Amino acid sequence: MAAIPPVCDFGWPAIDATLPGVDGKQHSIFGQAGPNGLVVAFICNHCPYVKAVISRIVRDAGDLKAEGVGFVAVSSNDAGAYPEDSFQNMRLFAAAHHFGFPYLYDEEQSLARAYGAACTPDFFGFNKELKLQYRGRLDASRKEAGPADLRRDLYEAMTQVARTGEGPLDQIASIGCSIKWKEAA
């Protein structure tokens, strides 16, 4: 079932955590920030919304690096219930799509809960002070990638954040598969 996150809570402070990456290293969220900002993206391997745009996510993360904006992706899904989202499959997914950024595993789902992540993909764009300025979509794609000339919402918003410190007032929420939460014991 598709989920839609809430609108941007401008100025909300980023939350740090240190999580294992598919590269075998531990990474802090704040350690991924560039001099002009940071995008924290909640994604997973199996979601059709993510699969439809993963090449665009990788492209935009690379293009934002040139703007001084860091990028980190996090998978928080319950891999017990969704084996395609296992840590080993995260490694394969990142390699297959040539990730140029850390892909971290939030096995305890504490980071996703702290951020209020709602779906995959769910993008949180922060300025250089690590205050939230964007909580919107990548572009207008859904379960299929849209045309190549779609407006690049995330990229354009974060370029604005990098240059001005502030995100656009008009933002369109992302849509995707709900985070697959673990059952309470």
Side-chain angles (χ1 to χ4, degrees):
M1 183 166 145
I4 298 174
V7 295
C8 185
D9 182 9
F10 285 97
W12 180 79
I15 297 169
D16 199 12
T18 299
L19 298 170
V22 298
D23 60 359
K25 300 176 184 172
Q26 296 285 320
H27 297 271
S28 80
I29 299 299
F30 287 5
Q32 307 318 307
N36 296 324
L38 172 67
V39 173
V40 179
F42 288 87
I43 67 169
C44 70
N45 308 331
H46 88 273
C47 172
Y49 293 90
V50 173
K51 286 180 174 181
V53 296
I54 193 62
S55 64
R56 293 175 184 200
I57 292 172
V58 171
R59 174 201 66 195
D60 287 358
D63 290 352
L64 285 170
K65 189 174 188 177
E67 296 290 335
V69 176
F71 196 98
V72 61
V74 179
S75 178
S76 300
N77 276 359
D78 178 0
Y82 295 85
E84 194 175 339
D85 290 332
S86 72
F87 190 61
Q88 180 57 34
N89 284 330
M90 287 173 59
R91 285 186 171 123
L92 298 172
F93 191 75
H97 297 286
H98 310 288
F99 283 18
F101 47 85
Y103 189 20
L104 311 181
Y105 187 35
D106 179 24
E107 183 175 11
E108 300 302 316
Q109 301 183 315
S110 56
L111 190 69
R113 290 192 189 284
Y115 274 71
C119 63
T120 56
D122 199 351
F123 301 100
F124 294 79
F126 298 93
N127 63 16
K128 64 183 175 183
E129 286 86 30
L130 297 178
K131 303 292 185 196
L132 189 66
Q133 295 296 316
Y134 187 73
R135 177 105 186 253
R137 66 186 185 181
L138 179 77
D139 62 26
S141 297
R142 292 295 186 245
K143 287 185 184 178
E144 312 77 30
D149 62 349
L150 275 181
R151 181 178 187 276
R152 296 168 67 186
D153 295 50
L154 173 69
Y155 173 78
E156 290 182 21
M158 290 309 297
T159 298
Q160 177 180 326
V161 169
R163 294 176 184 172
T164 70
E166 297 180 359
L169 295 179
D170 292 326
Q171 301 180 13
I172 300 171
S174 188
I175 187 171
C177 297
S178 62
I179 300 284
K180 305 309 181 210
W181 300 108
K182 293 179 180 182
E183 295 292 324

